[in-house]
């Protein structure tokens, strides 16, 4: 390396000297040549080779140091970027968790009328101004959402073209329901159906987070609700299910359920009794319908009139369920509505019915819990 540098310097000096005198230039070239030969001889000796090797090793070491510094700087930059992304993701997760908990706190209480929960979920969205969406959501909830489920969100699927009617999704704390092209069905969301950053896929339907801003929070709220303690199983003291084949059998099992609900002296009225009362007790009375069509509001109003005149609580048991006006009116006036199946097992349809059943279940569970508390 030194020899090369010397030759280069000598050639440059010779070129400069050429402007003054050819003789000086020749002398310069001769000196450079002699010096170069001397350096070559010195570098060819063992000591010279060792010196050259040391120089080359030092150059290589310095290069490695520079490369190491550059690599460490690049690694540090990448780590800082990853840490920044991780912090941002953690902040986003915490914000989503807070929003989910806030949603669960702000929702109407469990057992509130479905119309109230639907109105809350649609509030502040573009769909709130669309009566068709609200009516369809109420129909879907009546068919596929239990009265004790909490409705977390109502979402509309993306559509291709304005002429296509969007599918509708009701997300609850225990599942979901979908209405699409005149068909309605129950759906259980799976974590694999959620595309992070995009939305929820239900078969060919896509419910985007952009079009449904509350959907992401609702999905997180569903996970929060799942982490809460599970509701206690129904106590063993409930009346046993049995096949119902006639209207009289449905009245007799309604008697069992009235007694379970706290009306312990309930009895069935004679067949063909006036005023449509099928079960009566000191504090309450009930009407039982085993018909193929939902019970209407006038029928519920008639029962309310009789109960008011007799100063008793009113309960209704219907095999086919109730029309929306009947449910709304009964909920406003405190009439407990139950829908039962052919095994005689009722399910609450409105808040008064749910409260009655919850109180009865709690009462039936008390002796078992007291027994467990006394164990040592």
């Amino acid at each position: 390396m030194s020899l090369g540098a010397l030759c280069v310097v000598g050639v440059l000096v010779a070129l400069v000297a050429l402007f003054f005198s050819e003789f000086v230039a020749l002398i310069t070239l001769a000196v450079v040549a002699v010096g170069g030969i001397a350096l070559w001889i010195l570098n060819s000796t063992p000591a010279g080779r060792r010196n050259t090797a040391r120089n080359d090793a030092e150059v290589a070491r310095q290069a490695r140091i520079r490369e190491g510094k550059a690599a460490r700087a690049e690694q540090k930059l990448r780590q800082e970027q990853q840490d920044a992304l991780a912090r941002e993701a953690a902040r986003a997760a915490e914000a989503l968790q807070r929003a989910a908990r806030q949603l669960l706190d702000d929702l109407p209480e469990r057992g509130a009328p479905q119309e109230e929960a639907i109105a809350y979920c649609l509030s502040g969205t573009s769909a709130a101004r669309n009566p068709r969406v609200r009516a369809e959501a109420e129909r879907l909830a009546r068919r596929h959402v239990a009265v004790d489920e909490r409705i977390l969100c109502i979402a509309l699927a993306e559509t291709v073209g304005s002429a296509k009617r969007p599918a509708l999704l009701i997300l609850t704390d225990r599942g979901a329901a979908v209405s699409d092209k005149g068909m309605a069905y129950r759906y259980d969301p799976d974590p694999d159906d959620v595309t992070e950053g995009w939305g929820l896929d239900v078969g060919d339907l896509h419910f985007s987070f952009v079009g449904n801003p509350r959907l992401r929070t609702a999905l997180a709220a569903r996970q929060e609700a799942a982490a809460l303690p599970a509701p206690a199983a129904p106590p063993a003291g409930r009346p046993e299910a049995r096949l119902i084949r006639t209207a009289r059998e449905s009245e007799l099992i309604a008697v069992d359920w009235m007694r379970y609900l706290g009306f312990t002296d309930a009895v069935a009225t004679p067949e063909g009794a006036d005023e449509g009362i099928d079960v009566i007790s000191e504090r309450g009375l009930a009407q039982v319908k085993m018909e193929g069509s939902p019970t209407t509001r006038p029928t519920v109003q008639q029962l309310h009139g009789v109960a008011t005149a007799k100063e008793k609580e009113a309960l209704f048991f219907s095999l086919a369920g109730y029309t929306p006006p009947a449910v709304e009116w009964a909920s406003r006036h405190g009439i407990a509505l139950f829908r039962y199946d052919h095994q005689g097992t009722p399910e609450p349809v409105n808040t008064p019915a749910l409260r009655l059943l919850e109180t009865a279940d709690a009462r039936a569970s008390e002796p078992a819990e007291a027994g467990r508390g006394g164990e040592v």
Side-chain angles (χ1 to χ4, degrees):
M1 186 175 179
S2 301
L3 180 61
L6 178 62
C7 293
V8 171
V9 172
V11 171
L12 292 175
V13 173
L15 290 175
V16 173
L18 188 61
F19 289 98
F20 299 96
S21 169
E22 294 180 358
F23 179 72
V24 175
L26 291 173
I27 292 175
T28 302
L29 288 174
V31 172
V32 170
V34 172
I37 292 170
L39 284 174
W40 178 79
I41 293 172
L42 289 175
N43 286 334
S44 298
T45 62
R49 287 194 296 271
R50 287 195 299 271
N51 186 56
T52 302
R54 283 196 299 270
N55 291 338
D56 293 342
E58 179 64 20
V59 171
R61 189 178 71 85
Q62 294 297 330
R64 287 194 300 271
I65 291 174
R66 288 192 297 272
E67 292 174 357
K69 288 182 178 179
R72 286 192 295 272
E74 184 178 357
Q75 184 179 7
K76 182 180 179 181
L77 178 61
R78 284 199 302 267
Q79 186 63 45
E80 290 176 349
Q81 292 174 342
Q82 291 175 358
D83 292 344
L85 292 174
R87 288 193 297 271
E88 184 64 27
R91 284 194 294 267
E94 291 175 1
L96 183 61
Q97 189 177 44
R98 287 195 300 270
R101 290 173 179 171
Q102 188 65 47
L103 174 62
L104 291 174
D105 291 340
D106 293 343
L107 283 174
E109 65 177 356
R110 188 181 300 278
Q114 291 178 333
E115 293 78 9
E116 178 183 341
I118 289 171
Y120 174 81
C121 291
L122 290 177
S123 62
T125 68
S126 58
R129 298 186 295 272
N130 190 334
R132 188 177 70 179
V133 171
R134 179 167 180 170
E136 186 172 353
E138 291 176 356
R139 285 194 299 270
L140 180 60
R142 285 194 299 271
R143 293 179 62 184
H144 293 287
V145 177
V147 67
D148 57 343
E149 286 185 87
R150 302 189 75 184
I151 297 176
L152 304 177
C153 178
I154 297 173
L156 297 176
E158 290 185 341
T159 59
V160 180
S162 57
K164 184 178 177 182
R165 185 175 178 178
L168 185 141
L169 169 77
I170 296 180
L171 185 70
T172 75
D173 59 343
R174 297 211 305 266
V178 178
S179 174
D180 180 32
K181 300 176 182 176
M183 295 180 59
Y185 54 90
R186 185 76 177 182
Y187 160 71
D188 187 18
D190 189 276
D192 293 337
D193 297 336
V194 180
T195 304
E196 187 63 31
W198 293 98
L200 174 67
D201 293 325
V202 182
D204 296 333
L205 303 175
H206 179 67
F207 298 89
S208 72
F209 292 148
V210 175
N212 304 283
R214 293 183 179 178
L215 181 56
R216 188 199 300 269
T217 304
L219 287 169
R222 188 170 181 271
Q223 293 180 347
E224 286 284 325
L228 297 175
R238 282 189 174 191
E240 294 184 0
R242 58 180 185 268
L243 181 63
I244 293 178
R245 291 161 294 191
T246 66
R248 189 58 176 175
E249 288 178 343
S250 67
E251 294 170 5
L252 294 177
I253 198 168
V255 170
D256 293 343
W257 277 97
M258 283 274 290
R259 292 174 178 175
Y260 177 76
L261 293 172
F263 305 90
T264 55
D265 58 341
V267 294
T269 60
E271 294 188 63
D274 294 337
E275 300 177 323
I277 304 305
D278 300 304
V279 183
I280 192 166
S281 75
E282 184 179 353
R283 294 189 301 108
L285 51 82
Q287 188 169 358
V288 184
K289 288 289 186 183
M290 189 178 178
E291 299 177 344
S293 58
T295 300
T296 59
R297 183 176 67 181
T299 305
V300 174
Q301 288 175 324
Q302 181 181 5
L303 174 67
H304 176 65
V306 175
T308 301
K310 295 180 179 295
E311 298 183 349
K312 297 179 184 292
E313 292 185 48
L315 295 84
F316 213 116
F317 296 84
S318 174
L319 178 66
Y322 307 86
T323 62
V327 176
E328 181 183 357
W329 196 90
S331 299
R332 256 196 342 262
H333 292 81
I335 302 174
L337 302 183
F338 292 91
R339 178 175 55 240
Y340 66 92
D341 56 20
H342 283 282
Q343 280 70 46
T345 303
E347 66 171 357
V349 173
N350 63 353
T351 304
L354 179 64
R355 297 291 176 260
L356 270 178
L357 188 58
E358 288 178 339
T359 302
D361 285 343
R363 185 169 53 244
S365 300
E366 283 175 0
E369 292 177 356
R372 285 195 300 270
E375 293 176 1
V376 179

